[in-house]
Amino acid sequence: MKTTGLQLRLQLRPQPPRLIGNFPLLPLRTKTRGPAYVLPFPSPPLPAHESPEIESESYDILDEVLRLFRANTFFRNFEIKGPADRLLVYGIWFVSDCLQKIKPNASARDAAKEVNNLALDLNFAIPGDPGFPLNQMYEPPRDRQDAEQLKLYMAQVRQELASRLLARVYEEDESKPSKWWLSFTKRKFMNKSL
C-alpha cells in the first residue's frame, strides 16, 4: 500500500503526534468538544459532504478515512506502517458500524438519530479492553488517566465521523440514502467490527 498524503505530512511534521499506547491523538477539523487539537476550517467554507484538498492544512485523518473507506473495505489484511494507520483502521470499522445502522429507506433525519446514538454511546471498547478487535495490534493505555483521555478522543472521532458520513450518504437526497454507500453494509473490513 502506498503512503497517503496525510501520512506523508505526518512524517514531515517536526513533532510526532501524541500517543496513548500506540493509538495516535491526531489533530481534527471539528467543532465537537474533545481533547483533539483543532485544525483550521477551509476558507471559503466547503459544503458538509466535501473534504478539503489533501495538501490543505484543514485535511485530517477523518477525511482520509472517508476517502479510503470503500477501497479499504475489501481488505482482509492491513499492514500497519505507523500510528496514523491504527486510527485509520478504527475509523473504517466505525464507518462500517454506522452504515449498518442506516436502513435503505431511512430519511436523513431517521438515519441521523440511529448513527448519532451510536456515536454518542460512551459504552464502547478501547484498546486493551476485552471487547476491542485486534488487541494484538493496539497497546493498552498505561493508566486510568490515559484510558479516560483516549476514550474522550475516540468519542470525539466517532461524533465527527458520524456527522461527515451522514453528509455524504445523504448528499443527493435527504429522503433516501445513497445506494453506493449502503452497498458496503455487508462488508467487514478485515472480517472484524467494533
Side-chain angles (χ1 to χ4, degrees), residues 119-181:
L120 293 169
D121 181 8
L122 293 178
N123 191 19
F124 60 88
I126 64 170
D129 289 349
F132 191 80
L134 289 180
N135 261 328
Q136 65 270 25
M137 285 178 20
Y138 293 84
E139 294 173 11
R142 69 173 182 244
D143 57 32
R144 203 170 95 190
Q145 183 179 356
D146 272 0
E148 288 174 17
Q149 187 77 3
L150 180 58
K151 189 143 193 146
L152 288 171
Y153 179 78
M154 291 173 85
Q156 188 178 16
V157 163
R158 291 162 66 97
Q159 291 170 43
E160 185 62 32
L161 252 181
S163 170
R164 293 187 199 182
L165 176 66
L166 287 167
R168 284 162 174 77
V169 170
Y170 288 93
E171 172 187 351
E172 294 175 11
D173 185 354
E174 289 199 359
S175 66
K176 64 180 183 201
S178 162
K179 65 181 179 180
W180 303 113
W181 278 97

Side-chain angles (χ1 to χ4, degrees), residues 44-58:
L46 294 172
H49 64 273
E50 288 185 21
S51 291
E53 294 295 321
I54 292 174
E55 298 79 27
S56 166
E57 66 179 345
S58 300

Side-chain angles (χ1 to χ4, degrees), residues 61-79:
I61 187 70
L62 304 184
D63 294 316
E64 192 89 349
V65 167
L66 292 168
R67 186 175 74 82
L68 298 175
F69 171 77
R70 293 186 252 191
N72 285 343
T73 303
F74 295 103
F75 291 0
R76 294 213 182 271
N77 298 309
F78 189 88
E79 182 183 353

